[in-house]
Amino acid sequence: MSLQSLQSYLCERSGWKDPKWLFSCCLKTGIPYEICFTKFMSSSLNQPLCFGSDCIKANAQSCGECIQVAEKCGWCTDIDFLKQGESKSARCDELQSLITKGCTKAKIENPRGSTSINKNKAVTNRKKDMAEKLKADQITQIQPQKLTLNLRSGEAQTFKLKFKRAEDYPIDLYYLMDLSFSMKDDLENVKNLGTDLMREMKEVTSDFKIGFGSFVEKTVMPYISTTPARLLNPCTSTNNDTCTSPFSYKNVLKLTENGKEFNSLVSKQQISGNLDSPEGGFDAIMQVAVCGDAIGWRNVTRLLVFSTDAGFHFAGDGKLGGIVLPNDGKCHLENNMYTMSHYYDYPSIAHLVQKLSDNNIQTIFAVTEEFQPVYKELKNLIPKSAVGTLSSNSSNVIKLIIDSYNSLSSEVILENGKLPEGVSITYKSICKNGWVGTGENGRKCSNISIGDEVSFEIAIKSEKCPPQGKSETITIKPLGFTENVEIVLNFICECECSKDGKPLSEMCHNGNGTFECGACRCNEGRIGRLCECSTDEVRTDDLDANCRKDNGTDICSNNGDCVCGTCECKKRENPEERYSGKFCECDNFNCDRSSNKLCGGHGRCECRVCICDANYTGSACDCSLDTSTCLAANKQICNGRGTCECGVCKCTNPKFQGPTCEICPTCSGVCAEHKDCVQCRAFDTGEKKDTCERDCSYFNLIRVKDRDKLPQPADQSYPLSHCKERDANDCWFYYTYAVRNHTEREVYVVDTLECPAGPDIIPIVAGVVAGIVLIGLALLLIWKLLMIIHDRREFAKFEKEKMNAKWDTGVNPIYKSAVTTVFNPKYEGK
């Protein structure tokens, strides 16, 4: 990839106008552009290669501020860590960068989050046929039950939840029925529901309770007729049936284990009537959800069966009756009757969802075919709810309830309470058959049978500390179940070393700050590394004069800011590059380079001067003092024919080459010396044929087609030998031998042998025959061409004579037609 295309890509990807910082980084590390680009591609845009550290950019002034920037940030508590000109915020950096700068691991404050389990009762393995029956509060379906998380900003804490659907789990079912006049035939079928449903539910659980409630509508106009006669019997105008007075909601039977009592009380119920088609069922659902004591809800599976053949009123519809107060979501039952329907509006769908969820109630909408689309849309808004098709007379209600219960109980959906500001949570589900869900699907598992066990991996992360760093508690629970997991969140907002801080320390300029974690945390109104300045003094001319080197005009050499008369050097995008010095006049990145490496990779840059490692010298530390690389095979430096300079031989005799001046391409005997190896590698013949791979791999072999392709001495900048050798078959082969760059041996060889040979009769005979045939064909072609030319000339002569014989055409030669034909020159015949 070219430099231009790489820069264009970086601009497009990152939005930067000048991505040259990347190339500066590549130059510093010596990485080729293509490799550097690959590393950039494989890194995140938040942490690209050589990108500025978020820890440094945060400008943290204390250890507590530092650890809240990101989980990768640490704080160096070493008192002597900072160099002259560096600000306190330089103590906050990535761990490896701090170590590189000279801070030992023991001096780096880097607290980590943790997870501890406080309550971990195992899930219950319960069978329905067991002799010992457990109470609902003795059954555990989710594990663990309580955890404590210590959260550091940016660091997620992950834990695992296990859920197992218990067998023979108790169930409370409350049947809420629409008793408007259109449900008259349905009431007859529900009268025996108690005992029949009890019998069917025994197959599911041995601990089952059932209750009954009914609803009609708000008792105000225009929902009902308020004339005295219609208030007593709202059905008088349509038929002679006797109906009970209109009511909003009535709790007929509290949850009970007695199915016969259910049948008895339901049998006594009478239908009622109202004026409009939608019913006031939402008022009834709200009261059933919030009036737990009156309904008799236990901490078990709670099912609410809502049976109707009509639509519903919701928040805002109460204005038709002059009711404007929003529903307060509280219980208002007196003598098992809802008494505030005329005072409070219908609840909204969101309000119902909240209350049903808070009270762990799963709703089954048993509605007729006509209203299926409406209630299916409502189901999508209410978690853990189901819709079943009710026959016109409710004869299928038991099957509907059983099927809906199985559908609801086969799915577990996790829900968490309100999260504190800055805290996020993610879910990952591991369901049956190894199915894994993430995102919103990570909250749930479906098709769970009794006894099946599923698990969830939950990660909680905090992006910042709450005010005063107070602990928070959240809950996670499976929707429709009474059990939940309590999670206590503790936030790591300060470092451990801050506990040992010394307020009003003398180390902080006469007690103007607290000395903690190796640095001063200044009191309000004070700034500076040692809190030596008041905020009112920061920009005075007298203080700025202390930041000018040699009374010059540049403040802090234009590489820093003057704070309290002291230079605080600027920070670079690359965290490894730093300005330093009293006037920020020094840096560690503007030294000489060699092989695209700072100080040749053999030293360190201090104040723009390379400090070389041992055995290296030069302005870029690129000159090695080690002579071992110059020793020849005879143990002489450069074979006695050169000098060793910076670890490299400089041959004084131009005939000799190589890293140790031992190679002489033009010396006599070169061709004979390499003949056998060239012969075996190029033609697989010769004396070294069997040992070729072992003995003859010391040069690069390049094949050419003919002798003209061999390199010529005049075209080369290094000595070259032309060789002509004969093999055992008296065939000649040609090659050149040279040493390129003093080290690389190179052989060009003509890949065909030049062998003497006698005349070949067959080609000669074939050539003669072919020549005769070709000559014959050529003569035939010439004769044919001459005949064609002759015929064309005769035909042209005939045509000319025919044109001249105008008197023989049978037309008057002086006749002119009266019609003139004109052709449009623009017409193209289309």
Side-chain angles (χ1 to χ4, degrees):
M1 178 172 286
S2 67
L3 177 64
Q4 183 178 5
S5 59
L6 179 53
Q7 284 187 341
S8 300
Y9 177 82
L10 294 178
C11 290
E12 179 182 350
R13 176 167 176 177
S14 61
W16 299 323
K17 295 181 179 179
D18 185 12
K20 293 181 180 178
W21 61 268
L22 176 61
F23 300 96
S24 299
C25 171
C26 295
L27 284 172
K28 178 178 177 181
T29 56
I31 302 175
Y33 288 139
E34 291 79 6
I35 300 175
C36 196
F37 171 74
T38 303
K39 292 196 173 190
F40 173 80
M41 284 289 293
S42 63
S43 60
S44 165
L45 273 180
N46 293 325
Q47 295 176 317
L49 186 68
C50 293
F51 196 66
S53 168
D54 293 335
C55 309
I56 292 179
K57 290 181 178 180
N59 199 31
Q61 298 298 307
S62 67
C63 186
E65 291 180 14
C66 178
I67 64 173
Q68 293 182 50
V69 176
E71 62 171 320
K72 61 185 178 181
C73 300
W75 177 271
C76 183
T77 61
D78 188 350
I79 298 176
D80 301 321
F81 172 71
L82 295 180
K83 293 185 179 181
Q84 192 173 31
E86 289 187 312
S87 63
K88 279 188 298 184
S89 61
R91 293 181 178 274
C92 182
D93 205 342
E94 296 181 16
L95 305 184
Q96 189 57 48
S97 182
L98 289 175
I99 295 172
T100 303
K101 293 177 183 177
C103 189
T104 61
K105 286 186 178 181
K107 293 287 187 179
I108 297 177
E109 194 75 15
N110 181 35
R112 312 309 301 176
S114 61
T115 299
S116 58
I117 298 176
N118 307 116
K119 187 177 180 182
N120 194 28
K121 185 180 178 182
V123 292
T124 304
N125 291 313
R126 184 189 187 196
K127 301 294 183 182
K128 191 170 68 170
D129 53 359
M130 290 177 61
E132 181 183 358
K133 297 300 181 182
L134 299 177
K135 295 181 180 179
D137 56 4
Q138 295 176 316
I139 300 174
T140 302
Q141 297 184 106
I142 193 166
Q143 178 188 0
Q145 294 80 40
K146 185 175 181 180
L147 303 94
T148 298
L149 272 57
N150 295 316
L151 298 178
R152 177 180 168 178
S153 296
E155 181 186 21
Q157 292 300 314
T158 303
F159 57 93
K160 197 169 186 178
L161 286 187
K162 183 192 300 183
F163 179 86
K164 184 175 183 179
R165 185 179 165 194
E167 187 175 351
D168 196 28
Y169 195 73
I171 298 174
D172 286 352
L173 185 146
Y174 191 84
Y175 195 90
L176 182 60
M177 185 174 181
D178 176 9
L179 284 189
S180 59
F181 187 80
S182 59
M183 294 287 285
K184 179 180 178 181
D185 54 346
D186 300 81
L187 181 60
E188 293 298 322
N189 285 311
V190 174
K191 288 180 178 179
N192 295 320
L193 177 65
T195 52
D196 294 342
L197 188 57
M198 280 280 186
R199 183 171 56 254
E200 293 293 333
M201 292 302 288
K202 288 296 181 182
E203 300 295 324
V204 178
T205 177
S206 60
D207 188 355
F208 177 71
K209 287 189 175 184
I210 189 171
F212 184 82
S214 58
F215 66 91
V216 181
E217 187 55 278
K218 287 185 179 296
T219 55
V220 296
M221 282 288 288
Y223 312 109
I224 66 167
S225 174
T226 55
T227 60
R230 294 294 296 275
L231 284 175
L232 292 175
N233 184 5
C235 306
T236 54
S237 63
T238 57
N239 49 54
N240 296 323
D241 291 327
T242 302
C243 298
T244 189
S245 299
F247 59 92
S248 176
Y249 162 67
K250 181 192 301 182
N251 179 26
V252 178
L253 176 64
K254 187 176 182 178
L255 290 166
T256 178
E257 297 177 348
N258 191 341
K260 293 182 179 179
E261 183 182 3
F262 180 95
N263 293 349
S264 175
L265 286 176
V266 173
S267 298
K268 298 177 182 178
Q269 301 304 306
Q270 291 182 303
I271 59 171
S272 185
N274 61 319
L275 297 180
D276 61 343
S277 176
E279 314 293 2
F282 276 16
D283 274 342
I285 293 176
M286 177 62 75
Q287 293 304 301
V288 171
V290 299
C291 298
D293 293 337
I295 303 299
W297 292 119
R298 298 176 294 170
N299 285 328
V300 298
T301 298
R302 299 175 176 180
L303 299 178
L304 171 60
V305 179
F306 182 84
S307 176
T308 184
D309 63 349
F312 49 83
H313 284 295
F314 52 89
D317 289 353
K319 292 180 180 179
L320 296 172
I323 303 172
V324 295
L325 285 179
N327 196 288
D328 64 353
K330 295 181 180 179
C331 182
H332 297 288
L333 292 184
E334 292 183 11
N335 297 323
N336 288 322
M337 296 288 289
Y338 179 40
T339 59
M340 301 297 285
S341 67
H342 64 286
Y343 192 75
Y344 289 116
D345 194 5
Y346 301 98
S348 65
I349 295 176
H351 200 180
L352 273 185
V353 170
Q354 176 194 346
K355 291 302 180 181
L356 290 171
S357 175
D358 290 345
N359 293 280
N360 305 306
I361 296 173
Q362 304 177 64
T363 310
I364 299 172
F365 295 103
V367 297
T368 54
E369 183 71 32
E370 179 185 358
F371 289 93
Q372 280 286 307
V374 175
Y375 282 90
K376 283 183 178 178
E377 290 295 325
L378 181 61
K379 168 191 172 294
N380 294 333
L381 301 175
I382 301 179
K384 292 293 282 186
S385 61
V387 177
T389 303
L390 191 67
S391 62
S392 59
N393 59 1
S394 297
S395 59
N396 67 330
V397 66
I398 294 180
K399 183 178 184 303
L400 185 154
I401 292 172
I402 297 295
D403 291 344
S404 297
Y405 168 72
N406 289 332
S407 173
L408 289 173
S409 60
S410 67
E411 182 178 54
V412 58
I413 303 174
L414 294 187
E415 178 189 54
N416 55 268
K418 184 179 179 181
L419 297 174
E421 185 179 357
V423 174
S424 61
I425 185 169
T426 57
Y427 294 86
K428 178 183 176 182
S429 58
I430 299 94
C431 307
K432 286 178 64 177
N433 303 320
W435 188 86
V436 176
T438 56
E440 282 302 311
N441 290 329
R443 292 175 174 266
K444 62 184 179 181
C445 281
S446 302
N447 300 321
I448 302 174
S449 304
I450 292 175
D452 286 343
E453 184 175 292
V454 296
S455 60
F456 297 86
E457 290 181 4
I458 302 173
I460 298 179
K461 182 167 71 171
S462 172
E463 297 297 340
K464 63 179 182 178
C465 280
Q468 290 82 43
K470 291 182 179 179
S471 296
E472 300 279 355
T473 300
I474 64 172
T475 58
I476 296 177
K477 67 175 184 178
L479 282 175
F481 295 85
T482 57
E483 299 174 64
N484 61 42
V485 180
E486 181 181 340
I487 304 172
V488 179
L489 305 179
N490 297 324
F491 300 91
I492 302 175
C493 301
E494 287 292 344
C495 302
E496 284 293 321
C497 58
S498 64
K499 296 179 181 177
D500 302 323
K502 299 177 181 179
L504 307 179
S505 172
E506 289 298 321
M507 299 182 70
C508 301
H509 197 267
N510 300 323
N512 285 318
T514 300
F515 189 79
E516 61 179 41
C517 303
C520 287
R521 177 180 281 192
C522 299
N523 296 335
E524 188 174 353
R526 305 295 298 187
I527 57 173
R529 276 176 61 173
L530 300 176
C531 310
E532 66 272 25
C533 257
S534 168
T535 53
D536 300 330
E537 303 171 350
V538 173
R539 292 297 176 185
T540 62
D541 293 336
D542 292 340
L543 292 176
D544 285 349
N546 295 330
C547 298
R548 295 187 176 96
K549 184 179 181 181
D550 300 328
N551 293 323
T553 58
D554 294 336
I555 294 179
C556 299
S557 307
N558 289 329
N559 294 324
D561 298 317
C562 187
V563 179
C564 300
T566 303
C567 284
E568 289 193 359
C569 302
K570 294 178 181 178
K571 296 165 187 173
R572 300 274 298 174
E573 288 287 347
N574 186 346
E576 296 182 3
E577 298 178 354
R578 293 190 292 176
Y579 291 109
S580 60
K582 181 179 180 181
F583 302 101
C584 301
E585 73 278 13
C586 295
D587 63 59
N588 66 344
F589 54 87
N590 274 322
C591 291
D592 290 341
R593 297 174 181 270
S594 178
S595 301
N596 281 339
K597 294 182 180 179
L598 190 69
C599 297
H602 302 298
R604 65 186 186 278
C605 182
E606 291 188 3
C607 204
R608 303 184 180 181
V609 176
C610 285
I611 308 299
C612 300
D613 297 338
N615 289 329
Y616 285 93
T617 186
S619 63
C621 300
D622 53 354
C623 184
S624 174
L625 301 178
D626 185 10
T627 60
S628 61
T629 56
C630 296
L631 288 178
N634 58 10
K635 303 301 180 182
Q636 289 185 319
I637 293 179
C638 299
N639 197 29
R641 293 185 174 89
T643 58
C644 186
E645 298 179 7
C646 298
V648 178
C649 281
K650 302 293 183 182
C651 301
T652 55
N653 189 333
K655 293 176 60 179
F656 288 88
Q657 302 177 8
T660 54
C661 302
E662 294 180 272
I663 302 172
C664 182
T666 59
C667 294
S668 59
V670 169
C671 293
E673 179 184 353
H674 302 292
K675 168 189 171 183
D676 292 337
C677 281
V678 173
Q679 188 177 355
C680 78
R681 287 189 60 183
F683 307 105
D684 198 22
T685 59
E687 296 179 2
K688 292 188 177 182
K689 175 182 177 182
D690 297 331
T691 60
C692 193
E693 185 175 352
R694 182 191 68 193
D695 299 336
C696 300
S697 59
Y698 58 88
F699 59 81
N700 295 328
L701 184 71
I702 299 98
R703 301 174 184 271
V704 296
K705 294 295 183 181
D706 52 58
R707 293 170 61 183
D708 294 337
K709 301 295 184 181
L710 291 175
Q712 302 301 317
D715 300 332
Q716 308 300 324
S717 60
Y718 46 85
L720 180 73
S721 296
H722 272 262
C723 300
K724 176 182 178 182
E725 297 292 336
R726 179 184 294 174
D727 65 8
N729 298 322
D730 288 334
C731 294
W732 296 95
F733 59 93
Y734 300 87
Y735 67 92
T736 63
Y737 180 85
V739 180
R740 185 194 295 271
N741 299 328
H742 303 288
T743 57
E744 186 179 350
R745 304 184 185 195
E746 199 172 70
V747 172
Y748 281 81
V749 62
V750 179
D751 61 2
T752 56
L753 294 169
E754 189 177 287
C755 299
D760 195 344
I761 301 300
I762 296 176
I764 295 174
V765 172
V768 171
V769 173
I772 295 171
V773 172
L774 290 174
I775 292 172
L777 289 174
L779 292 173
L780 287 173
L781 289 173
I782 292 171
W783 176 80
K784 180 66 175 176
L785 181 62
L786 292 173
M787 293 300 296
I788 291 172
I789 294 172
H790 175 75
D791 290 344
R792 287 184 178 178
R793 285 178 177 175
E794 290 295 322
F795 182 75
K797 184 178 178 180
F798 170 76
E799 287 292 326
K800 184 176 180 182
E801 292 177 351
K802 183 180 177 180
M803 293 295 294
N804 291 333
K806 294 183 179 179
W807 55 269
D808 199 28
T809 60
V811 180
N812 187 349
I814 63 174
Y815 171 77
K816 289 185 180 180
S817 174
V819 178
T820 302
T821 302
V822 180
F823 292 93
N824 186 350
K826 295 293 185 176
Y827 178 69
E828 296 179 354
K830 296 183 181 179

